[in-house]
Amino acid sequence: MLRGLYSAASGMFSLERRQETLSNNLANAQTPGFKKDDTVLRAFPKLLVERIRDFNENIPGSTGLPGQGVPIGELTKGVYAQERIPSFLQGTLVQTDQPLDIAIEDQNIPLQVVNGRTVKPTAFFAVELPDGSVGYTRNGKWDLDANGNLVTSDGYRVLGADHKPIQITGGVSKENLYINADGQLIANPNDPAQSRNVGQIGIAVVQNPYELTRQGGNVYKSENPLPFIQDAGGTNPGVALHQGVIEQSNVDPGQTMADMMMTVRAYEANQKVVGVYNQSLEQLYSVGKING
């Protein structure tokens, strides 16, 4: 009897984790460049159930020999939430006309085969984290801080092609910055006499983005620093930047709400199963007391 109770309880635990993931996705539906997570539910290994001390019935598959059980069938012990897998699909690009809104378009990157699995490489902006390490993000909502550093909306300094934070000097305002498709920052583009290159945005392409680890704050980290496409010997596999454009989250709010409602209903179904088992155990306990 308790096997069914454990199966229902495992379903409740797994659905709770799935609901947490969906809630986090929905909370970041308006976060620029956010990539949603999908929860993978897997079944526990199955068990082969046999009857013991029962050798008199002529059942197919039974030898009838002493010590040989009679096979009944397989028993599933429930499910568990194995992991959260991010979806790196391109989000919708929206025109904002803000000079420091930058979006990455990487749909033209060819597919790669990694460990026998076809994956889609993904391009990221590189940022400097508070501990000095390098993080990777798709958040292209930027601004200039008081020192002229190019920073994301989360306050991380954006790294240039030289792997150093980009700092705009000389009193150049963000309205007088032009960023081309290759990531070059040009100050005063409309004045040939004062026009100058003030930096280049560093772009890293991850061949297998599923190896990245989410750090929070819409940032991922890699065990080993990733090369930039502007590094010596590097090539641009089909990445383009768009100024005045922002990449929205790839979360579909309507679908996420529907998934959340389905998850709640499945949780309630498992909850009712647990309640039925609880009532059965109470009756069994009462019978045991009377017989005693």
Side-chain angles (χ1 to χ4, degrees):
M1 180 185 296
L2 293 180
R3 293 171 180 168
L5 182 63
Y6 295 149
S7 296
S10 69
M12 294 175 64
F13 293 141
S14 301
L15 291 169
E16 183 178 2
R17 290 194 61 185
R18 186 169 189 261
Q19 189 77 340
E20 291 174 355
T21 302
L22 292 171
S23 300
N24 183 64
N25 290 342
L26 191 61
N28 288 279
Q30 300 300 321
T31 302
F34 179 81
K35 302 302 178 185
K36 67 177 182 179
D37 286 326
D38 296 321
T39 304
V40 178
L41 301 183
R42 297 190 184 276
F44 285 107
K46 296 181 180 179
L47 295 178
L48 180 62
V49 182
E50 296 182 346
R51 292 208 305 266
I52 61 175
R53 300 190 181 92
D54 186 357
F55 315 108
N56 298 323
E57 297 182 15
N58 186 16
I59 299 178
S62 173
T63 62
L65 298 176
Q68 179 68 42
V70 178
I72 297 176
E74 294 182 340
L75 173 67
T76 302
K77 299 185 293 182
V79 299
Y80 66 100
Q82 183 184 33
E83 58 184 339
R84 294 181 179 180
I85 299 180
S87 171
F88 291 99
L89 294 175
Q90 175 93 47
T92 304
L93 302 184
V94 178
Q95 188 82 24
T96 64
D97 295 325
Q98 297 297 319
L100 290 184
D101 282 354
I102 312 297
I104 295 178
E105 184 178 7
D106 58 359
Q107 293 300 302
N108 296 324
I109 299 180
L111 299 177
Q112 301 288 334
V113 178
V114 180
N115 297 327
R117 177 185 179 187
T118 302
V119 296
K120 176 69 167 59
T122 305
F124 291 89
F125 299 115
V127 295
E128 183 183 58
L129 301 180
D131 61 358
S133 61
V134 178
Y136 305 95
T137 182
R138 296 279 291 205
N139 183 0
K141 191 74 175 177
W142 298 348
D143 205 344
L144 293 176
D145 65 9
N147 298 320
N149 294 307
L150 197 60
V151 296
T152 68
S153 57
D154 297 314
Y156 303 131
R157 294 194 293 180
V158 180
L159 298 181
D162 58 356
H163 297 259
K164 298 179 180 179
I166 298 176
Q167 188 175 35
I168 310 299
T169 59
V172 179
S173 64
K174 60 183 179 181
E175 288 77 13
N176 292 326
L177 279 176
Y178 169 71
I179 302 174
N180 63 17
D182 294 328
Q184 294 182 353
L185 291 93
I186 302 174
N188 305 310
N190 298 323
D191 187 351
Q194 299 184 6
S195 179
R196 58 190 176 93
N197 192 320
V198 294
Q200 186 171 9
I201 300 170
I203 303 295
V205 175
V206 186
Q207 298 302 315
N208 185 8
Y210 299 103
E211 294 179 349
L212 299 176
T213 304
R214 190 187 290 274
Q215 295 296 304
N218 204 12
V219 171
Y220 297 87
K221 290 192 70 174
S222 174
E223 291 185 2
N224 301 309
L226 301 172
F228 292 175
I229 60 177
Q230 301 93 343
D231 290 341
T235 58
N236 188 332
V239 180
L241 302 187
H242 299 278
Q243 184 179 20
V245 178
I246 201 72
E247 179 187 6
Q248 292 186 326
S249 165
N250 64 358
V251 177
D252 184 342
Q255 183 62 49
T256 303
M257 287 293 296
D259 291 341
M260 291 179 70
M261 288 188 289
M262 291 178 60
T263 302
V264 169
R265 290 170 183 169
Y267 186 92
E268 291 175 347
N270 282 277
Q271 196 174 33
K272 290 179 180 179
V273 172
V274 172
V276 170
Y277 272 104
N278 183 55
Q279 293 176 3
S280 300
L281 290 174
E282 288 180 352
Q283 293 178 1
L284 181 62
Y285 177 71
S286 300
V287 171
K289 288 180 63 179
I290 295 174
N291 292 337

